[in-house]
Amino acid sequence: MTQTLNPSLQYEFSCPLTSGLHARPASHLAEVANRFLSDCSVTNLRNGLVANAKSVLGLIAADIRYQDRCVLFVSGSDEHLAQSALKQFLEKNLPRCDVPLAEFPAADLDGAVPRTLQAAHAAYISGIPVSRGIAQGKVVLVRRITLPNDLGSGEPLNMQKELARIHEAVAAVRQRIGEQLKYAITPVSTAVLQADLAMANDVLLLEKLTEQIGSGKSAAQAIVDAGEFFIDLLGHSENDYIRQRAADIEEICLQLLEEVGATGAVPTLELSAPSVLVAETLGPQQLLRIDRQWLKAIVLEHSATTSHAAILARSLGIPTLAGVRNARLALVPGREIVVDADRGFVIPQVSAVVTRFYEREQKTLSRRNELRSHVESKAAVTLDGEQIEVAANVSSGEESTLGFANGADGIGLFRTEMIFLGREDAPSEDEQCAIYSEVARNAKGRPVIIRTFDIGGDKKVPYLNLPREENPFLGYRGVRIYGEHRELLQPQLRAILRASEVGNVQIMAPMVATAAEMIFFKAAVDRAKHDLGERGTRYRPDIKTGMMVEVPAAAFFLDELCAEADFFSIGTNDLAQYFFAADRSNPRVAPHFNVRHPAFLRLLDHLVKEIHKHRKWVGMCGEMAADVQNLPLLLGLGLDEISVPAVEVHECRRMVGRLNSKRCVEVLERALACGNSEEVDELLAATAARSAPQPLLSDELIVLESTSQSKEEVIQEMVDAFYISGRTDDRHSLEKALWARETMGSTDVGYGFAIPHCKSDAVTANSISVLRLNEAINWDSGRGDRVSMVVLLALRESDPGSTHMQVFSSLARKLMNDEFRQHLLKTQTPHDVKEYLGSQLGIAVAMVDPVSS
Amino acid sequence: MKIVAVTACPTGIAHTYMAAARLEKVAKNFGHEIKVETQGAMGIENKLTETDIRQAQIAIFAVDIEVEGRERFHGVKVIQVALQDALKNPENIFFNIQR
């Protein structure tokens, strides 16, 4: 393709996409290029390949990788328009239009076949998990689809007619994909289908098809030959990803063949029972056309992990394994198999042991999910039933999503500075409204506290023209600058008010010290309400307006402030810095900044008590709230809410559930009377030690009437109990540690008791688990008595804690005592076992099981 | 007879103490006086003093790992057995001692 090159219409760029210019971004680029009449081409300077920018196939074939330098050429009647549009796309949109290719971490369980299955000598074939999950079904072999090569019909052909058939076929295929797009349920499916659609619309494909017809071929033959041309072109690439696209082209051509009546091209798969598809590879169309009700899992021989079918399977949640060598030979059609895409293997023959294992696995997984969601959907409640809101501090919509996913009760602080910084001009009201509304909607009714911008002389905000100050920290910032910058304040207030229409939004002012400032702020809010009213724009009229408590002066003006503010949030970072007159980022004085100093605690105590006297709400959004060590103090203070970074929300809620609020009040009282921060620290450490975050014993770790039939099953059952109750997230490591100990020497101690044990950080807390078998089992193949009672001890490696060690040693000694053993063998319920052990060993057992209350 | 003993197991969590309890019980049944030092994950407990060792006629090591501070037992008659033996079959040990 030669063209007269107008140098000004060349544009050189470097590919910004880490995965290279693959089908999806290429289809966007082609879409833009196709809007214009001019010829557009992209030359990859690295390998010299030239691609027609209007063809997705062509662009892909040019193998444009990350950071390859390329040149865009445009030539034609609307070349200037085209060039500027494409330049705009390449600069602004291309970097952002990459939906990341799904990452498939290699099976990280080091081929971990569970001990139970190993012991039963269950055969297995390993594979690469491409989409996680476990499923069972009958094997259905899928033939490899290839383009037929015996289409000759011998009849003389009418070129026009054949061309018309081609066009009809293409239109039909486009339409079908378009329909599928409407029902695509995930962003990934959508992206995949869009890429396929782009390929079906590809100008190069059509060109090739037309060319083939022109040389006298039938429609069917033209499709086959054009298909082979592109498969060849893509199939020879060094780039794995591009080679996999050849399979996509093959699929499109097969559909085209179907349309022109060369029947039998794409066999539709009829399934009538839970099935596992086994194939060399699978095309996305094949996948989409299968009745998903019966499709339980997929096993692929090819190791391609980024094929569209693999990506689709993942987005549809169908357990899929790739790279399963000789799957079609090893797996018998019609036979029941298990696909374990969590651990990375197929079990080609399902036996009773296998069925048992996976039934248990299923129960364990669903029980664990049940308990997890149970905990997360409830408000954070202490052991003795006191509630505290745990909210998230965020600066963006994404963080808010993360926060809510972690169970946040609301957004305690939405910092808006990010929206104002790093730009040449102020964000518009509309722009801000979109951002605030997104967060408000995500909240689904939960409160969202939006803090108006807190900017001072130390921040780079060119359009504010703030004077440089000697001491910006003690300078012109926060609410102080609002009077002179109404042009920034008012649009923000209006944006927040507009967002209040779609969610429970509240406004908060920073750096307020006096009632006058609060009155001014509220007047500004009224002004904004008035302006919106004039426009006829709606907002929530009773929107709450509150203030950050950061300036110490506010602490002694609370009567007046409570008359003006609806709520308060304590910003401990700045409050403590001003309070101790120390910059915490200055190493020489940082030690003076200590939120656990009794003086600061007295300040906080005063704040909360006074604000509550006026029946107002007070939360805390500073870093003090994020440190779980401080939790007893914060609960003791009686705060209505603590707001922590989005990632900490889950942990914070969990810790709240382990504390007793009355004890916390006592702890705070004693802390207030301490002489320095060290004493407070000691007090907190002592409290933590005494009220173990998680008790050694719990009902969930006591299993009576176990039907396990082997040591492997017993250990699996007990590890699963840990997993379900959240005492481990890594069953594999825990099991490994226990088995390591088993190989060192027998844990059978006679009298029908066994004591497997280990030290491992896979447990989140030191634990004792008890399991009683209905029928005794062999513990050590042949040697020793049969075992019917198992007491498992698990200690954390990094912080075993000496008190717990003592408990373990005393338990060990008690096991040598007849009466003790008899009692354990006879006790009826897990609760009673727990109580008995607890009293015998002198340990506290949970008064209230936090999960079940 | 006055007997001293040391129990020690690799993980040091349970067997060490169980064996100690067994030895104590059985020794009593045989009419002996016994003091058992445990070497476990919490370190050395019930440590045998010079006096304890000097006064003893025999020392029992029921251990699966090296005894810490073995020098203390220089010159004392030592019977070493596997920890399992002390747990499962302590009577045997004392029968052997009688002989």
Side-chain angles (χ1 to χ4, degrees):
Chain A
M1 189 167 21
T2 53
Q3 41 197 329
T4 36
L5 302 170
N6 180 339
S8 65
L9 292 170
Q10 285 180 46
Y11 173 65
E12 199 176 309
F13 66 97
S14 158
C15 176
L17 305 172
T18 43
S19 308
L21 190 72
H22 55 87
R24 278 162 276 146
S27 61
H28 290 297
L29 174 56
E31 195 194 350
V32 175
N34 274 303
R35 289 184 215 153
F36 305 97
L37 298 169
S38 307
D39 289 327
C40 312
S41 73
V42 173
T43 303
N44 183 342
L45 293 177
R46 178 180 59 83
N47 56 26
L49 293 173
V50 181
N52 179 340
K54 294 182 182 177
S55 160
V56 178
L57 286 168
L59 285 169
I60 294 176
D63 194 5
I64 298 173
R65 303 185 198 167
Y66 181 49
Q67 290 178 337
D68 275 355
R69 292 215 66 79
C70 305
V71 184
L72 168 77
F73 293 98
V74 180
S75 157
S77 52
D78 53 2
E79 57 193 21
H80 289 277
L81 279 174
Q83 202 260 12
S84 81
L86 284 165
K87 184 162 173 252
Q88 166 97 345
F89 173 82
L90 289 166
E91 271 173 9
K92 296 270 162 59
N93 301 33
L94 186 62
R96 298 197 316 217
C97 75
D98 199 358
V99 171
L101 293 176
E103 268 163 31
F104 304 107
D108 52 354
L109 299 168
D110 55 67
V113 179
R115 306 274 319 203
T116 331
L117 296 177
Q118 275 183 40
H121 303 294
Y124 66 94
I125 310 171
S126 65
I128 306 170
V130 143
S131 166
R132 301 232 170 240
I134 301 176
Q136 191 170 326
K138 288 199 188 334
V139 173
V140 173
L141 285 186
V142 177
R143 283 184 305 126
R144 170 162 172 65
I145 300 173
T146 42
L147 291 175
N149 50 17
D150 55 349
L151 289 172
S153 64
E155 289 169 28
L157 299 167
N158 178 330
M159 250 187 242
Q160 291 294 81
K161 191 155 161 247
E162 294 308 296
L163 202 52
R165 291 174 76 196
I166 288 281
H167 284 289
E168 274 166 28
V170 172
V173 170
R174 284 181 194 167
Q175 218 226 348
R176 178 186 307 135
I177 300 182
E179 281 297 312
Q180 283 171 336
L181 258 172
K182 279 204 214 130
Y183 299 108
I185 52 174
T186 64
V188 173
S189 316
T190 308
V192 167
L193 285 170
Q194 276 171 345
D196 278 355
L197 186 60
M199 244 187 241
N201 280 333
D202 199 289
V203 293
L204 231 71
L205 178 62
L206 204 51
E207 252 176 47
K208 201 72 190 168
L209 287 168
T210 312
E211 182 193 294
Q212 296 292 307
I213 300 278
S215 61
K217 297 187 182 152
S218 68
Q221 193 63 50
I223 293 170
V224 170
D225 290 345
E228 308 227 298
F229 170 78
F230 285 110
I231 290 168
D232 210 51
L233 180 64
L234 297 175
H236 280 103
S237 170
E238 289 155 8
N239 184 325
D240 213 32
Y241 178 85
I242 293 179
R243 280 201 306 275
Q244 290 170 26
R245 302 282 68 76
D248 296 340
I249 275 292
E250 200 167 27
E251 259 242 341
I252 301 275
C253 288
L254 285 167
Q255 292 181 61
L256 288 172
L257 279 174
E258 214 182 351
E259 290 300 324
V260 298
T263 47
V266 180
T268 34
L269 220 40
E270 292 288 334
L271 300 175
S272 55
S275 308
V276 177
L277 287 193
V278 178
E280 194 187 331
T281 55
L282 208 58
Q285 281 300 321
Q286 282 180 288
L287 181 52
L288 285 171
R289 292 203 223 170
I290 296 169
D291 187 351
R292 281 208 277 288
Q293 189 200 8
W294 296 122
L295 178 57
K296 296 295 170 192
I298 302 171
V299 173
L300 300 170
E301 281 185 5
H302 260 208
S303 49
T305 51
T306 54
S307 69
H308 275 163
I311 295 174
L312 262 180
R314 194 172 203 215
S315 74
L316 296 170
I318 302 172
T320 304
L321 285 174
V324 182
R325 308 250 187 84
N326 298 317
R328 287 174 304 157
L329 289 175
L331 301 173
V332 178
R335 187 178 289 176
E336 195 84 4
I337 65 170
V338 171
V339 174
D340 189 333
D342 276 349
R343 297 181 179 82
F345 54 79
V346 182
I347 299 186
Q349 180 118 32
V350 174
S351 63
V353 173
V354 172
T355 307
R356 251 177 89 81
F357 175 81
Y358 283 105
E359 267 169 17
R360 287 188 160 202
E361 182 65 2
Q362 193 50 50
K363 280 208 199 100
T364 302
L365 290 174
S366 59
R367 182 86 182 109
R368 169 155 154 128
N369 285 336
E370 211 182 281
L371 285 178
R372 279 218 121 158
S373 58
H374 188 76
V375 169
E376 272 153 24
S377 61
K378 297 192 330 172
V381 179
T382 63
L383 280 175
D384 55 336
E386 286 298 313
Q387 246 179 300
I388 184 170
E389 286 173 48
V390 176
N393 293 338
V394 305
S395 316
S396 68
E398 275 136 61
E399 270 187 271
S400 74
T401 312
L402 177 62
F404 290 126
N406 283 338
D409 293 317
I411 301 294
L413 171 64
F414 185 158
R415 296 185 204 91
T416 58
E417 291 73 53
M418 308 300 252
I419 306 173
F420 289 82
L421 298 175
R423 42 190 300 164
E424 298 296 314
D425 56 348
S428 69
E429 180 188 320
D430 284 341
E431 202 183 318
Q432 291 186 64
C433 177
I435 298 171
Y436 306 144
S437 302
E438 183 193 347
V439 178
R441 272 189 222 102
N442 279 350
K444 298 201 175 70
R446 288 170 282 200
V448 177
I449 299 179
I450 303 180
R451 184 185 66 188
T452 48
F453 63 95
D454 183 2
I455 297 174
D458 57 329
K459 299 262 175 32
K460 285 200 283 282
V461 188
Y463 52 89
L464 259 187
N465 281 321
L466 291 173
R468 275 205 60 70
E469 296 172 301
E470 283 256 330
N471 192 340
F473 187 55
L474 292 174
Y476 196 52
R477 53 176 284 209
V479 68
R480 299 168 185 179
I481 75 172
Y482 289 172
E484 281 200 23
H485 290 281
R486 303 294 294 249
E487 80 285 358
L488 281 182
L489 178 66
Q490 296 306 131
Q492 179 168 47
L493 288 175
R494 291 196 297 267
I496 298 175
L497 281 164
R498 282 165 62 187
S500 73
E501 177 66 7
V502 298
N504 184 356
V505 171
Q506 299 172 13
I507 316 179
M508 183 162 70
M511 288 290 284
V512 172
T514 69
E517 284 167 340
M518 205 53 210
I519 292 171
F520 159 83
F521 189 72
K522 284 167 64 177
V525 173
D526 283 340
R527 181 67 219 237
K529 285 180 179 173
H530 173 84
D531 290 341
L532 288 178
E534 300 242 290
R535 277 193 240 164
T537 309
R538 298 156 57 97
Y539 57 88
R540 182 192 287 244
D542 60 346
I543 189 171
K544 293 209 178 78
T545 307
M547 56 175 271
M548 290 275 294
V549 180
E550 329 179 63
V551 180
F556 296 96
F557 220 55
L558 288 170
D559 287 342
E560 294 82 351
L561 285 168
C562 284
E564 301 300 335
D566 292 327
F567 65 86
F568 300 78
S569 186
I570 306 176
T572 55
N573 304 358
D574 282 351
L575 182 62
Q577 290 194 107
Y578 293 135
F579 188 70
F580 290 110
D583 177 355
R584 63 191 182 135
S585 59
N586 177 342
R588 299 196 83 169
V589 298
H592 293 278
F593 172 102
N594 193 329
V595 294
R596 288 200 278 281
H597 193 282
F600 193 67
L601 296 177
R602 292 175 198 176
L603 173 66
L604 293 176
D605 188 48
H606 167 80
L607 278 167
V608 177
K609 287 202 167 76
E610 285 300 307
I611 294 173
H612 277 169
K613 236 197 270 181
H614 290 278
R615 304 197 180 295
K616 299 273 168 137
W617 184 100
V618 55
M620 177 185 284
C621 58
E623 258 172 53
M624 184 181 185
D627 186 350
V628 287
Q629 272 191 298
N630 297 330
L631 217 36
L633 297 169
L634 302 181
L635 281 170
L637 282 167
L639 286 164
D640 295 300
E641 169 248 54
I642 45 177
S643 192
V644 302
V647 292
E648 312 274 351
V649 172
H650 184 82
E651 186 58 19
C652 192
R653 292 171 60 93
R654 208 167 73 106
M655 293 310 293
V656 169
R658 307 235 149 79
L659 293 168
N660 176 311
S661 72
K662 293 194 188 43
R663 291 272 293 283
C664 290
V665 170
E666 283 163 23
V667 170
L668 177 71
E669 287 302 314
R670 292 180 49 194
L672 293 174
C674 284
N676 54 45
S677 359
E678 284 78 31
E679 285 179 32
V680 175
D681 284 341
E682 270 166 36
L683 172 63
L684 286 174
T687 321
R690 250 176 304 140
S691 62
Q694 247 175 326
L696 277 175
L697 296 162
S698 101
D699 285 359
E700 297 148 321
L701 295 179
I702 301 178
V703 180
L704 303 177
E705 299 186 8
S706 161
T707 54
S708 283
Q709 293 164 359
S710 65
K711 175 153 84 165
E712 286 80 10
E713 283 198 348
V714 165
I715 294 191
Q716 181 198 337
E717 193 172 353
M718 294 176 96
V719 168
D720 278 351
F722 275 73
Y723 185 61
I724 292 171
S725 58
R727 291 203 182 213
T728 186
D729 289 316
D730 182 359
R731 289 185 284 174
H732 182 61
S733 297
L734 182 53
E735 237 184 311
K736 210 164 157 195
L738 286 166
W739 280 100
R741 176 60 190 83
E742 290 299 311
T743 52
M744 278 203 284
S746 178
T747 54
D748 168 5
V749 297
Y751 309 109
F753 274 66
I755 51 160
H757 54 273
C758 69
K759 273 211 206 128
S760 167
D761 277 351
V763 286
T764 54
N766 298 337
S767 315
I768 301 179
S769 172
V770 178
L771 181 139
R772 190 164 69 201
L773 290 153
N774 280 347
E775 279 176 30
I777 59 170
N778 271 326
W779 195 252
D780 282 321
S781 47
R783 297 169 40 213
D785 309 323
R786 292 169 79 83
V787 163
S788 62
M789 197 82 191
V790 182
V791 182
L792 191 155
L793 312 176
L795 273 183
R796 279 180 61 76
E797 184 110 44
S798 43
D799 45 64
S802 62
T803 0
H804 289 161
M805 289 297 297
Q806 277 158 22
V807 170
F808 284 6
S809 71
S810 112
L811 171 63
R813 285 179 182 272
K814 287 227 186 263
L815 281 170
M816 300 289 99
N817 178 308
D818 285 329
E819 205 191 303
F820 182 76
R821 288 195 310 269
Q822 285 308 314
H823 201 116
L824 281 180
L825 283 168
K826 301 235 180 67
T827 320
Q828 293 295 319
T829 68
H831 181 80
D832 290 339
V833 171
K834 185 183 70 179
E835 294 290 315
Y836 179 68
L837 275 178
S839 65
Q840 286 287 305
L841 300 171
I843 52 186
V845 296
M847 290 185 297
V848 174
D849 202 339
V851 171
S852 59
S853 64
Chain B
M1 229 196 297
K2 277 204 159 115
I3 306 181
V4 288
V6 177
T7 60
C9 111
T11 348
I13 299 180
H15 288 85
T16 309
Y17 307 101
M18 296 171 76
R22 286 289 272 147
L23 285 175
E24 280 162 5
K25 192 163 171 193
V26 176
K28 239 196 345 197
N29 288 346
F30 276 76
H32 300 304
E33 261 182 62
I34 190 168
K35 183 170 174 190
V36 187
E37 172 182 301
T38 52
Q39 296 188 349
M42 282 193 289
I44 299 183
E45 284 170 289
N46 208 23
K47 190 165 181 166
L48 293 169
T49 63
E50 245 189 74
T51 327
D52 293 327
I53 300 176
R54 240 183 315 118
Q55 290 182 350
Q57 274 91 28
I58 199 163
I60 304 176
F61 286 174
V63 296
D64 287 342
I65 51 176
E66 284 287 322
V67 166
E68 222 180 284
R70 209 190 188 298
E71 329 75 61
R72 292 178 283 160
F73 300 87
H74 190 68
V76 183
K77 179 146 194 275
V78 173
I79 292 189
Q80 184 155 335
V81 297
L83 198 65
Q84 269 300 308
D85 296 340
L87 262 176
K88 295 286 187 59
N89 234 333
E91 291 83 359
N92 239 10
I93 303 175
F94 291 98
F95 279 130
N96 283 337
I97 290 178
Q98 310 283 61
R99 282 197 284 110

